[in-house]
Amino acid sequence: MSAGMPLRLAELTTKEAADAVTAAPVVIIPAGAFEQHGPGLPIATDTVRAERIAELVAVRLAGRVVLGPPLPVGVSPHHMAFAGTVTLTTSTFAAVVREYVASLRRHGWRRFLVLTGHGGNNAALTTVAQDLLVADPEVRFAWSPVTALASGVVAGMGVSEVHGHSGEAETAQMLYLAPELVRTDRLRPGTTSRDGLKPEARLARTFAQPSLTLPYDELSANGVLGDPTRVTADDGRAVVDAVVERVCAFVEEWLDI
């Protein structure tokens, strides 16, 4: 492995992979989605963010973790009203995660960390984690959404009352991680306040109460929650730096156990 390069399982020979089981005992699996991200961001936004953040973590941890195969399509039925979206069911997504783990488990890996750029994957990942406690007690399975690890930074950006999908935080990350994929001239605000929502949608975007899931075309006409025109690549760097710091601290402590 060259200095400053992440250790990618896909680029190793089978002999090198066998050696990596000991040298890099944690497998990081980036998970994303293949779904609309408004008029200015690409469909693979969540996958791009997860993969590039995972790479930064792997570089910083210098060969002590290995990047496993990504999960480029996630659970996105709530975006199917928008062109280009592809979705898996929760059961299919969970099955793919379990089979990734089972395959790598046979070669000796026992610790897995899924970094997801898409919140729609969260429920399935929770299910996988619980199921693995029974199916294979020797496996340790961790997972985390990406942006949530930098919630303090995001709050400090002065985000809209309604924000999230394709809004300030995601756009800022993409401006930093993959500016070549952002159509900056096409970025447009979406729904930015609860007053702009119909009653049921307003209820769905009220927190600290029962969760109500609605299709995104009922939340936003252009698929955006928040105002992506207000952020910069520097905002994205602050978010990404905070996420990488939190993930690395977790993995370093995990490796020392």
Side-chain angles (χ1 to χ4, degrees):
M1 182 183 66
S2 301
M5 295 295 292
L7 186 63
R8 294 184 177 89
L9 184 57
E11 297 174 358
L12 303 181
T13 66
T14 187
K15 172 62 170 64
E16 291 166 342
D19 294 339
V21 172
T22 300
V26 173
V27 180
I28 297 180
I29 299 174
F34 202 93
E35 64 185 25
Q36 71 85 18
H37 272 79
L41 295 182
I43 284 170
T45 286
D46 292 341
T47 303
V48 170
R49 291 186 299 112
E51 288 184 335
R52 299 198 180 182
I53 287 173
E55 289 172 359
L56 290 170
V57 169
V59 167
R60 179 161 163 178
L61 293 175
R64 301 178 71 198
V65 300
V66 62
L67 294 178
L71 292 154
V73 180
V75 181
S76 304
H78 44 308
H79 292 286
M80 285 300 292
F82 297 89
T85 299
V86 176
T87 188
L88 301 178
T89 62
T90 54
S91 58
T92 297
F93 179 82
V96 173
V97 176
R98 284 194 297 267
E99 290 176 24
Y100 275 21
V101 170
S103 296
L104 295 170
R105 165 80 163 86
R106 286 188 59 179
H107 306 305
W109 278 285
R110 301 290 185 273
R111 286 184 277 188
F112 301 87
L113 170 61
V114 177
L115 295 178
T116 179
H118 174 52
N121 298 336
N122 293 0
L125 290 168
T126 298
T127 298
V128 170
Q130 295 291 340
D131 288 348
L132 283 170
L133 290 176
V134 176
D136 194 340
E138 291 188 11
V139 164
R140 295 294 182 260
F141 182 86
W143 70 272
S144 179
V146 169
T147 305
L149 295 178
S151 57
V153 176
V154 172
M157 289 164 50
V159 293
S160 306
E161 179 187 23
V162 173
H163 63 95
H165 187 74
S166 306
E168 292 91 339
E170 288 192 345
T171 302
Q173 289 170 69
M174 288 296 285
L175 287 169
Y176 173 57
L177 293 169
E180 72 281 3
L181 298 179
V182 181
R183 285 69 160 175
T184 53
D185 59 326
R186 301 181 191 175
L187 293 173
R188 298 289 185 276
T191 302
T192 57
S193 71
R194 293 178 67 249
D195 289 341
L197 294 168
K198 293 181 179 180
E200 191 173 34
R202 189 179 310 123
L203 185 64
R205 297 304 295 180
T206 302
F207 301 100
Q209 66 176 23
S211 177
L212 173 63
T213 300
L214 296 178
Y216 257 67
D217 53 308
E218 295 185 23
L219 300 175
S220 171
N222 67 354
V224 176
L225 298 180
D227 186 354
T229 67
R230 299 178 55 253
V231 294
T232 67
D234 286 340
D235 293 321
R237 179 192 292 271
V239 173
V240 170
D241 285 350
V243 172
V244 171
E245 181 69 29
R246 293 282 301 273
V247 174
C248 286
F250 172 85
V251 175
E252 286 172 337
E253 185 170 350
W254 204 14
L255 287 166
D256 288 339
I257 294 173

